[in-house]
Amino acid sequence: MEERPETELISIPATPRASTPEILTPSGQRSPRGGHTSTGASKDAKSWTPTSFISPRFLSPIGTPMKRVLVNMKGYLEEVGHLTKLNPQDAWLPITESRNGNAHYAAFHNLNAGIGFQALVLPVAFSFLGWSWGIISLTIAYFWQLYTLWILVQLHEAVPGKRYNRYVELAQAAFGERLGVWLALFPTVYLSAGTATALILVGGETMKLFFQIVCGPLCSSNPLTTVEWYLVFTSLCIVLSQLPNLNSIAGLSLVGAVTAITYTTMAWVLSVSQPRPPSISYEPISLPSYTASLFSVLNAMGIIAFAFRGHNLVLEIQATMPSTFKHPAHVPMWKGAKVAYFFIAMCLFPIAIGGFWAYGSLMPSGGMLSALYAFHIHDIPRGLLAMTFLLVVFNCSSSFQIYSMPAFDSFEAGYTSRTNRPCSIWVRSGFRIFFGFVSFFIGVALPFLSSLAGLLGGLTLPVTFAYPCFMWVLIKKPTKYSFNWYFNWILGWLGVAFSLAFSIGGIWSMVNNGLKLRFFKPS
C-alpha cells in the first residue's frame, strides 16, 4: 500500500484537467476536489500551496522589504495551513471523515476502548498469581502500556507533513510496506473482530441474566435461549452502528465510559461489603504438576495483558482531531488520554484487589459478575444486581461501536478505492449489517471465544507492549547504544517474548480446561 500523505489544502494538478465536483459523503462532509483520476496520473502531478509562489527564484528580483514581507507571509501561511497533503479518500472514510475532535472526545473514546468486560476477570488472574505477583504484574503492565501509549501519540505526526491515521499505516512506515502489513494487520483485526464477537457473547448472556433477575418467577415457560439473546444484542449493536463516523459516536463512548466506571465500581463495592465466603484462601491455586502451574500462571498474566487492550485505536482516535503547527493534534490527544487512563487505573486496581480480597481462590472462572450471582444472589437487592447487569449491557453495546470502526473503515476503503466515490448510505449500512451478523455467527459457532482472555492477551500483546517500542527506534532513530535506544529495544523484545509465552499458556489452559473463562454458563 502506497503511503499517501494528507493535506488540509486543495490539491490542484499542474496541467489542466476536468474539475471533479464536490461530493457529499453520507454524513454530509464535503470531499476535496481534484486529485482523483482513473488513470492515476494525478499521483505525479505537482501540488499547489499558498506558499509555492514564494520561492528563491521568485524572490530574487524583489527588493529586501518586499522579500521580508513575503517571507513573513509564507511563515504565517505555514503555521495556519499546516502544509500537509490531503488524501481525498480520507474525507469519505469513517475514521477520518470528521476532524472536529478534541481532548474531551479523546478521553471518552480512550475510556470506552480501554476499560470494559475484561476488567471483570482480573481477580481470576490474581487467584493464580497471589497478592504479590498479581499486584506487581498489574502495576508493571499499567505503566508499560502508558509509556507505549505516549509513543503512539507522538508518532502520529512523526514525519513533518504526514499523519499516520491508522495503526497499520504507522507499522508500514516503521517496518516497511509488506512487513508492516504482515506484522500489524492480523493482531489489529483480531483485536477488533475478536473483541466485537466477545462483546456479543458477553452482552447477550448478560441480557439473559438481567431478564431473569427482573422477571423472576413471572417469566414465561418458554424464555429466549442464549443464542436468541445473542441475536437480540447483535440487532441492537447493528442499529447503533449506523452512526456514520468515529466522531459521531462520541456520545456513545461517553455512555460506555460512564457505565464501565459505574459497574466496575459497583462490582467491587458490593463484593467487599458482603461477608466473605467461608474457608477463603489467598494462596495461589496449586495444580497437580509444575508444568500445569507454570502454564496457568502464564495464562493469568495474559489475562492482565488483555485488560489493557485499546492501543490499536489510539492513532485512529487522534486522526479525528484537527492539527496545525501551532496546535498539533498530539497535545489534546495526550490530555484526553491522561484523564482516561487515570480513571482506568481507578477501576482496574480496585476491582482486581477488592475482588480477590472478597473471594480469594474461590473466585469463579467467570469473574466478578459470576461471583456476585453465585455468592450473593440472595444477599444483594434484586434491583441493584439487575442495574449492575444492565450497565454491562450498555457498556458492551457502546464498546462494540468503537472496536468495529476499524473494520467499517477497511470495508469502505476497499469500496471507495475501487469506485472512486464515497459509500452511499445503503452501501455503508450493508457493510455494517454484514459485519454484525458475521460476528454473531462466529460467536454462535465458536462460543468459547469469551473464555480465551489469556490467549487474546498473548496474541495481541505486541500491539500494545512491543511494536510501539520498535516503531520509536526505527522512526525517531535515537542515538545508537544510548539509554533510549537500549530501553526501547529491550522493552520491545520482552514484549515479543511475553507474547509467545502467554499465547502458549492460553492454548494450554484452553485445551486442559484449567482456566475456562466463560462469563456465564448458559442454560
Side-chain angles (χ1 to χ4, degrees):
M1 180 163 38
E2 182 181 349
E3 180 67 29
R4 288 190 293 179
E6 310 179 331
T7 184
E8 297 181 3
L9 300 171
I10 299 174
S11 178
I12 299 179
T15 57
R17 300 182 188 276
S19 175
T20 303
E22 286 188 338
I23 302 175
L24 282 177
T25 63
S27 62
Q29 302 288 332
R30 290 188 180 274
S31 67
R33 301 181 188 223
H36 270 297
T37 61
S38 57
T39 60
S42 62
K43 295 180 180 179
D44 299 325
K46 296 181 180 179
S47 298
W48 178 89
T49 67
T51 60
S52 59
F53 67 91
I54 310 177
S55 63
R57 181 177 179 183
F58 179 81
L59 292 174
S60 57
I62 302 179
T64 302
M66 180 61 71
K67 179 178 180 180
R68 188 179 299 116
V69 170
L70 292 176
V71 169
N72 290 339
M73 185 172 67
K74 175 184 179 181
Y76 172 76
L77 290 173
E78 287 178 345
E79 289 288 341
V80 173
H82 192 19
L83 302 178
T84 340
K85 292 183 179 178
L86 176 75
N87 177 8
Q89 186 187 13
D90 278 346
W92 299 336
L93 301 180
I95 289 175
T96 50
E97 186 179 68
S98 173
R99 290 189 187 272
N100 60 354
N102 51 45
H104 298 91
Y105 285 17
F108 301 158
H109 288 317
N110 279 288
L111 263 173
N112 192 25
I115 188 171
F117 70 91
Q118 76 280 6
L120 299 173
V121 294
L122 282 175
V124 180
F126 272 53
S127 66
F128 286 87
L129 297 173
W131 279 120
S132 299
W133 284 110
I135 294 175
I136 290 173
S137 301
L138 186 60
T139 304
I140 292 175
Y142 176 78
F143 285 104
W144 188 346
Q145 61 86 35
L146 195 62
Y147 171 67
T148 56
L149 174 71
W150 176 84
I151 287 179
L152 291 175
V153 171
Q154 298 299 316
L155 291 182
H156 179 80
E157 294 176 281
V159 178
K162 293 183 180 180
R163 294 183 69 179
Y164 298 109
N165 296 318
R166 296 159 184 85
Y167 197 100
V168 176
E169 293 178 9
L170 184 61
Q172 288 180 296
F175 305 120
E177 290 192 4
R178 290 188 178 181
L179 183 60
V181 170
W182 279 103
L183 290 177
L185 189 61
F186 170 74
T188 54
V189 170
Y190 190 58
L191 256 179
S192 295
T195 302
T197 302
L199 286 167
I200 288 175
L201 299 180
V202 176
E205 291 171 349
T206 310
M207 287 183 79
K208 178 182 178 181
L209 281 182
F210 169 77
F211 180 76
Q212 290 176 349
I213 293 172
V214 172
C215 187
L218 301 177
C219 291
S220 62
S221 57
N222 296 314
L224 294 179
T225 64
T226 304
V227 173
E228 289 172 336
W229 280 112
Y230 292 162
L231 183 59
V232 171
F233 183 80
T234 302
S235 301
L236 172 63
C237 290
I238 289 174
V239 171
L240 294 175
S241 70
Q242 301 309 310
L243 292 170
N245 54 59
L246 191 55
N247 267 340
S248 67
I249 66 168
L252 283 178
S253 289
L254 175 59
V255 171
V258 172
T259 52
I261 294 171
T262 305
Y263 77 69
T264 53
T265 303
M266 289 179 64
W268 71 263
V269 168
L270 291 174
S271 296
V272 301
S273 63
Q274 299 296 322
R276 285 180 289 178
S279 68
I280 191 173
S281 172
Y282 297 112
E283 292 297 322
I285 296 176
S286 59
L287 295 178
S289 66
Y290 173 79
T291 302
S293 299
L294 175 62
F295 283 131
S296 296
V297 167
L298 291 176
N299 186 69
M301 295 179 74
I303 295 172
I304 292 178
F306 182 59
F308 296 105
R309 79 210 201 291
H311 281 46
N312 61 309
L313 296 168
V314 170
L315 296 172
E316 286 79 351
I317 295 170
Q318 194 168 347
T320 64
M321 300 179 180
S323 185
T324 65
F325 285 143
K326 284 188 175 180
H327 304 286
H330 70 82
V331 175
M333 177 65 186
W334 183 236
K335 287 181 181 178
K338 285 189 293 185
V339 173
Y341 277 84
F342 169 79
F343 283 105
I344 289 173
M346 293 299 99
C347 292
L348 296 188
F349 283 89
I351 199 170
I353 296 172
F356 185 56
W357 180 88
Y359 306 108
S361 58
L362 300 177
M363 170 63 65
S365 61
M368 290 295 290
L369 294 186
S370 292
L372 285 172
Y373 194 79
F375 292 104
H376 305 302
I377 185 64
H378 301 296
D379 302 327
I380 300 175
R382 194 170 66 176
L384 196 58
L385 197 61
M387 182 184 297
T388 305
F389 284 76
L390 183 61
L391 291 173
V392 175
V393 174
F394 287 158
N395 174 255
C396 288
S397 60
S398 300
S399 296
F400 181 90
Q401 308 309 319
I402 193 167
Y403 270 93
S404 302
M405 198 59 71
F408 301 158
D409 189 82
S410 298
F411 289 149
E412 295 188 29
Y415 177 87
T416 56
S417 63
R418 286 175 174 82
T419 63
N420 195 25
R421 62 184 180 186
C423 292
S424 66
I425 294 177
W426 298 110
V427 172
R428 173 171 281 182
S429 298
F431 283 143
R432 301 182 181 200
I433 294 171
F434 171 77
F435 177 80
F437 281 110
V438 165
S439 301
F440 165 75
F441 286 121
I442 292 175
V444 172
L446 305 172
F448 55 83
L449 278 178
S450 63
S451 70
L452 302 182
L455 181 58
L456 284 169
L459 292 177
T460 59
L461 184 145
V463 172
T464 302
F465 294 95
Y467 290 164
C469 300
F470 294 143
M471 292 171 179
W472 181 265
V473 174
L474 295 174
I475 293 177
K476 287 294 188 179
K477 302 187 186 314
T479 304
K480 201 171 185 179
Y481 306 122
S482 64
F483 173 79
N484 194 347
W485 188 87
Y486 275 117
F487 183 70
N488 284 285
W489 276 118
I490 291 173
L491 279 186
W493 285 114
L494 277 176
V496 173
F498 285 149
S499 174
L500 295 174
F502 297 168
S503 299
I504 293 172
I507 293 172
W508 183 92
S509 296
M510 179 188 67
V511 172
N512 292 272
N513 293 318
L515 274 176
K516 190 178 181 183
L517 294 177
R518 284 303 301 258
F519 282 79
F520 311 105
K521 294 181 180 179
S523 57

